[in-house]
Amino acid sequence: MFFTYLRRELRRRRKAALVVASGLALGIALVIVVSSVSSGMKQAQGKVLESLYGLGTDMTVTKAATPPEEGDGDERPRFRFDAQDGDSDEEQSTDRVMVQGFQTLASSTVTEVGKQDGVSEAVGGLSLNVVKVDGQFTRGEFQQDQNSGGSEQQGGPGGGTGQPQGRVQGGGADFEVNSYTVYGTDVTNLDLGPLTSSKITKGRTFKSTETDAKVAVADSSYAKEKELALGDTVTISGTKFEIVGIATPDSGDAAANLYIPLKQAQTLADSKDKVTTVYVKATDSQQIDAVKSAIQKNISGTTVTTSADLADTVSGSLSTASNLASNVGKWLSIAVLVAAFLVAGLLTMSAVSRRVREFGTLKALGWKSGRVTRQVVGEAVVNGLLGGVLGIALGLAGAYAVTAVSPTLQAQLGSTGGGGAMGGGPSGMGGGMGGPGRQTASKALEVALTAPISLSTVGLAVGLAVAGGLIAGAFGGWRASRLRPADALRRVE
Amino acid sequence: MYELRGVTKQYRRGKETVHALAGVDLTIPDGDRLVIQGPTGGGKSTLLQMLGGLDRPTSGSVELDGTDLAKLSEAKLTKVRSESIGFVFQSFNLIPTLNAQENVETALVPLGVKAAERRERAAEALKSVGLGERLTHLPSEMSGGQQQRVAIARALVKQPKVLLADEPTGNLDESMRDEIMDVLETMWKEHGLTFIMVTHDSAIAKKAPRVATIRKGTITVTERA
Ligand SMILES: Nc1ncnc2c1ncn2[C@@H]1O[C@H](COP(=O)(O)OP(=O)(O)O)[C@@H](O)[C@H]1O
Ligand SMILES: [Mg+2]
């Protein structure tokens, strides 16, 4: 009887059922769109992060930032040129190979990190910044001031010592500054690290035997700019490397301009057994936070950065949209859902009120209160499920629409970390150069927003539909349970 | 057999208290046919509710075969209604979305009768009130007289001891009244029921051997020789 009655009610009161269902459908559709857009945002952020980290990296380990100490000045790049006599126009060239961020970890840290619980793989890498300066320098000529020692002399403190005064004239420099990045990759383990986010589009990647080989993989846009082709050689700080492959990043920018074997990079930077970053893959992606704290606790002097940490530094329209989706979108869909639940509940209740005599009659016939209530709740749950089906259809349509349009979003990765911006200072080279370390710390990318629908989103929608039905049923059922058999005689129609 | 002793029923309406029944004593033997009449608002329906276990009196006792309905729990009262009492209402009270057969079946649901048997007994009951051809008709597809006959079939399908009817012809036009009265009369005779009927129709009351009149909550029973 339950199902016959239920079926008959729903068929005959289609309109009322549809009203309740539509309200729920709207709320559920909104939840689907919002949560799929949110996961699209996460994917977009993931892409941004992936271009930094490479695929499969759950976190990175770097040296904990230490306040710069006195006398650390020699860590700064310094260029020494011999100023030539005025008539010489000999070209001079100097390469300065610097470790990005000036902070390194011992290679042994990589092994140590690898031994931590929950770490599946750990691979070290060395990021370098190479600044190449080419040019001519002419020595200035000193000209003695004719009036020195004269009566108009103002005489500063300690002035008037009779030393010759004058100024340097005619000194000049004509030079070009070239800065590029080199990433030393562990050729014995290419599973992790920045190179994983690029595809080898020409040539090949490194072989695991090439630890000592003078080979390099060039980023495609850098190769284009410098007109580098397979088989060409590049000279980094006097060492020639043969280009064996061209790598094109999957999205966004490449992590480095040139990739060379780690050992070579260490030699170039005079950083034997040093790495800048350890790329870590966790055995369980749910345990990332636990692994992070384990590493930080067990290996002192390290900073562990997870994707989530890095995601916090993403700014730009991506992050605005992402905040919008997670805040406004979330609250809006909660508000609509609550409203839909309430409306469904009240409509169900008023439907019960219109059927007071019907339910009273059933009670008069000896139907237990529970049986009548069950009937009301059953109807409401079916209405809820109907709303769920409608809502899922509507939500899927909405999410597909977003994916079809796929609006472009900008992302900037915030400049936390890195540090060590150079240039500017009085002792530096007049012209400001992009500081090393900023290379990874600040990055702007464009990503297309999609709204992927996961099974769990659909599951959530179904859950909400059932919940909506049950809430409506609870309202209606409560009303029905309070009816008395004597209501069969009531004259309300 | 019914034994009512000092039954009162008060309703609160705002600050007022309505004395719908003001001390009713009444004995109704098994197989009796009692007609209740009286002015509107006199307490006829209220009395019928007490007899049918739809409501409890404010005071007094309503014994049905020795069991005081006034003292039964809601669950027990529900069981008594489902097993022993058949109702026929003035406005038929059929479930609008269920067809004739399903409407009759609703009376067998609380008795736990299996679906196949339920259908069969419902069809049988409808045949006995002359609606064997209309099993799948919805209430909206039937005349008032036919609807009331479905309601009578629903009341009797479970073979109750008591049939209670509250103005069963009140919503019917002249031509159908006699038809329904005939059906009820026949059923009472065939099933050996205790049949208690509230009516406005003085013609019906005149023909009845035993008539109870309720005025302002007090009852007077007139026996005709
Ligand atoms: N549920 C109720 N609440 C308040 N007053 C009621 C209720 N049911 C009946 N009454 C009142 O009790 C009195 C008797 O009603 P009722 O038994 O329906 O009379 P009748 O059926 O004879 O017309 C009337 O005054 C009526 O208004
Ligand atoms: Mg009445």
Side-chain angles (χ1 to χ4, degrees):
Chain A
M1 203 66 205
F2 176 79
F3 289 105
T4 312
Y5 192 12
L6 186 65
R7 210 170 52 234
R8 293 289 152 84
E9 281 302 320
L10 291 167
R11 197 179 303 160
R12 295 265 300 172
R13 299 181 207 270
R14 237 173 287 154
K15 263 191 210 138
L18 218 63
V19 169
V20 174
S22 315
L24 286 174
L26 203 69
I28 288 165
L30 212 63
V31 168
I32 291 181
V33 172
V34 166
S35 64
S36 63
V37 165
S38 298
S39 72
M41 300 284 176
K42 278 207 195 79
Q43 275 192 5
Q45 286 195 341
K47 266 186 205 151
V48 172
L49 301 176
E50 192 185 297
S51 73
L52 267 186
Y53 267 9
L55 286 166
T57 300
D58 292 318
M59 64 195 90
T60 57
V61 180
T62 50
K63 188 170 168 64
T66 47
E69 286 164 36
E70 218 43 59
D72 265 2
D74 57 340
E75 273 205 43
R76 292 197 176 203
R78 189 166 288 177
F79 296 85
R80 288 180 207 282
F81 295 95
D82 286 328
Q84 317 275 317
D85 284 334
D87 50 353
S88 163
D89 52 357
E90 192 190 322
E91 289 249 346
Q92 294 186 50
S93 172
T94 300
D95 278 9
R96 221 24 239 203
V97 179
M98 290 164 292
V99 171
Q100 256 178 25
F102 308 111
Q103 304 274 13
T104 55
L105 293 161
S107 288
S108 58
T109 313
V110 181
T111 341
E112 228 175 307
V113 169
K115 276 190 231 151
Q116 299 300 314
D117 280 347
V119 172
S120 146
E121 261 185 292
V123 176
L126 187 67
S127 290
L128 301 178
N129 237 62
V130 183
V131 180
K132 189 179 173 69
V133 184
D134 297 291
Q136 297 173 4
F137 294 79
T138 16
R139 184 183 288 164
E141 268 158 44
F142 181 80
Q143 287 188 331
Q144 177 110 23
D145 196 331
Q146 297 303 318
N147 295 326
S148 108
S151 58
E152 307 114 273
Q153 198 191 339
Q154 302 281 307
T161 51
Q163 275 189 356
Q165 297 194 3
R167 53 187 168 262
V168 179
Q169 274 188 336
D174 172 17
F175 60 90
E176 210 186 328
V177 178
N178 237 315
S179 163
Y180 59 96
T181 54
V182 173
Y183 178 75
T185 188
D186 185 349
V187 295
T188 60
N189 192 341
L190 293 167
D191 290 347
L192 289 177
L195 200 48
T196 51
S197 63
S198 290
K199 260 192 203 67
I200 302 294
T201 43
K202 272 185 207 148
R204 60 173 178 83
T205 186
F206 300 105
K207 292 174 188 157
S208 58
T209 52
E210 286 177 326
T211 43
D212 293 310
K214 305 263 191 296
V215 287
V217 169
D219 169 56
S220 59
S221 36
Y222 184 73
K224 204 169 166 191
E225 187 193 324
K226 299 289 171 193
E227 294 172 351
L228 296 171
L230 286 184
D232 286 0
T233 51
V234 283
T235 308
I236 308 169
S237 192
T239 311
K240 285 192 162 62
F241 289 87
E242 186 196 343
I243 296 186
V244 295
I246 304 286
T248 310
D250 295 335
S251 64
D253 296 349
N257 299 126
L258 291 171
Y259 303 88
I260 60 173
L262 178 59
K263 214 168 159 193
Q264 299 298 328
Q266 286 168 339
T267 310
L268 283 177
D270 199 16
S271 303
K272 200 164 181 312
D273 293 329
K274 294 266 162 71
V275 294
T276 40
T277 312
V278 185
Y279 296 84
V280 181
K281 183 180 169 65
T283 39
D284 180 1
S285 61
Q286 303 298 309
Q287 298 296 319
I288 286 173
D289 284 338
V291 175
K292 172 182 172 166
S293 42
I295 294 173
Q296 239 155 8
K297 200 178 110 215
N298 298 338
I299 307 168
S300 62
T302 56
T303 300
V304 182
T305 313
T306 63
S307 312
D309 297 336
L310 208 57
D312 290 342
T313 72
V314 174
S315 60
S317 65
L318 171 61
S319 110
T320 314
S322 163
N323 285 340
L324 215 64
S326 59
N327 296 327
V328 180
K330 193 166 83 190
W331 288 113
L332 186 68
S333 41
I334 288 175
V336 170
L337 263 183
V338 168
F341 282 5
L342 264 175
V343 168
L346 293 176
L347 283 178
T348 307
M349 223 157 98
S350 91
V352 171
S353 297
R354 265 181 281 117
R355 291 163 70 187
V356 160
R357 222 175 55 184
E358 178 176 333
F359 294 133
T361 303
L362 289 172
K363 289 192 179 184
L365 289 175
W367 281 42
K368 285 190 187 113
S369 199
R371 191 188 287 278
V372 175
T373 305
R374 211 180 321 145
Q375 203 72 39
V376 171
V377 173
E379 282 177 34
V381 167
V382 173
N383 282 343
L385 290 176
L386 199 71
V389 170
L390 279 176
I392 287 171
L394 207 66
L396 290 185
Y400 280 128
V402 171
T403 305
V405 174
S406 61
T408 309
L409 296 172
Q410 252 99 37
Q412 265 113 38
L413 273 154
S415 49
T416 57
M422 66 168 269
S427 65
M429 316 265 315
M433 270 181 269
R438 293 240 322 264
Q439 202 78 21
T440 47
S442 172
K443 228 166 181 4
L445 293 174
E446 285 202 340
V447 280
L449 176 67
T450 58
I453 292 144
S454 62
L455 213 62
S456 61
T457 303
V458 176
L460 177 71
V462 172
L464 286 174
V466 173
L470 285 175
I471 287 172
F475 274 80
W478 173 78
R479 182 80 181 78
S481 73
R482 285 165 50 95
L483 293 179
R484 301 170 312 122
D487 287 324
L489 297 161
R490 283 249 293 256
R491 290 245 164 103
V492 285
E493 244 328 70
Chain B
M1 164 157 134
Y2 276 108
E3 287 267 4
L4 280 69
R5 292 288 166 262
V7 173
T8 68
K9 179 68 181 178
Q10 287 155 22
Y11 292 112
R12 296 216 135 258
R13 204 192 281 139
K15 282 187 188 132
E16 270 183 90
T17 304
V18 180
H19 297 269
L21 293 178
V24 170
D25 297 303
L26 182 64
T27 304
I28 308 168
D30 282 345
D32 193 18
R33 177 165 168 274
L34 178 67
V35 168
I36 302 173
Q37 61 168 18
T40 303
K44 305 184 294 293
S45 297
T46 305
L47 178 62
L48 216 61
Q49 287 177 37
M50 302 302 130
L51 295 171
L54 296 183
D55 207 348
R56 291 189 187 80
T58 307
S59 66
S61 62
V62 182
E63 282 186 13
L64 173 59
D65 298 332
T67 313
D68 188 359
L69 301 185
K71 292 202 179 75
L72 288 186
S73 67
E74 190 56 47
K76 290 231 173 75
L77 211 52
T78 302
K79 192 162 184 289
V80 169
R81 285 199 303 269
S82 69
E83 287 171 353
S84 314
I85 294 161
F87 283 100
V88 175
F89 306 95
Q90 180 176 350
S91 38
F92 328 135
N93 289 22
L94 299 178
I95 311 298
T97 52
L98 297 180
N99 67 30
Q101 190 173 21
E102 289 156 356
N103 259 294
V104 176
E105 282 181 58
T106 56
L108 297 175
V109 167
L111 301 178
V113 180
K114 291 269 182 313
E117 191 193 334
R118 228 164 47 204
R119 269 195 291 278
E120 201 178 305
R121 281 172 68 177
E124 202 65 39
L126 282 166
K127 213 176 287 169
S128 73
V129 295
L131 287 177
E133 310 289 295
R134 311 225 177 233
L135 303 185
T136 57
H137 282 56
L138 287 173
S140 57
E141 297 164 348
M142 290 185 281
S143 71
Q146 288 171 333
Q147 288 186 55
Q148 194 62 301
R149 280 196 272 169
V150 175
I152 293 167
R154 178 178 65 182
L156 298 178
V157 70
K158 61 188 173 196
Q159 315 275 6
K161 278 182 62 81
V162 182
L163 177 63
L164 302 175
D166 193 355
E167 304 192 35
T169 57
N171 275 14
L172 299 175
D173 49 39
E174 207 85 36
S175 62
M176 292 191 185
R177 280 184 201 171
D178 294 341
E179 184 191 308
I180 292 300
M181 283 316 301
D182 284 348
V183 172
L184 287 170
E185 196 94 1
T186 313
M187 291 297 146
W188 167 58
K189 281 180 187 143
E190 282 180 9
H191 291 80
L193 300 157
T194 303
F195 177 30
I196 302 159
M197 176 172 67
V198 170
T199 185
H200 251 105
D201 194 330
S202 44
I204 295 169
K206 273 188 193 119
K207 279 191 272 173
R210 219 160 92 93
V211 175
T213 306
I214 303 188
R215 247 180 260 275
K216 291 180 182 167
T218 47
I219 193 165
T220 41
V221 179
T222 329
E223 309 253 2
R224 240 175 277 267

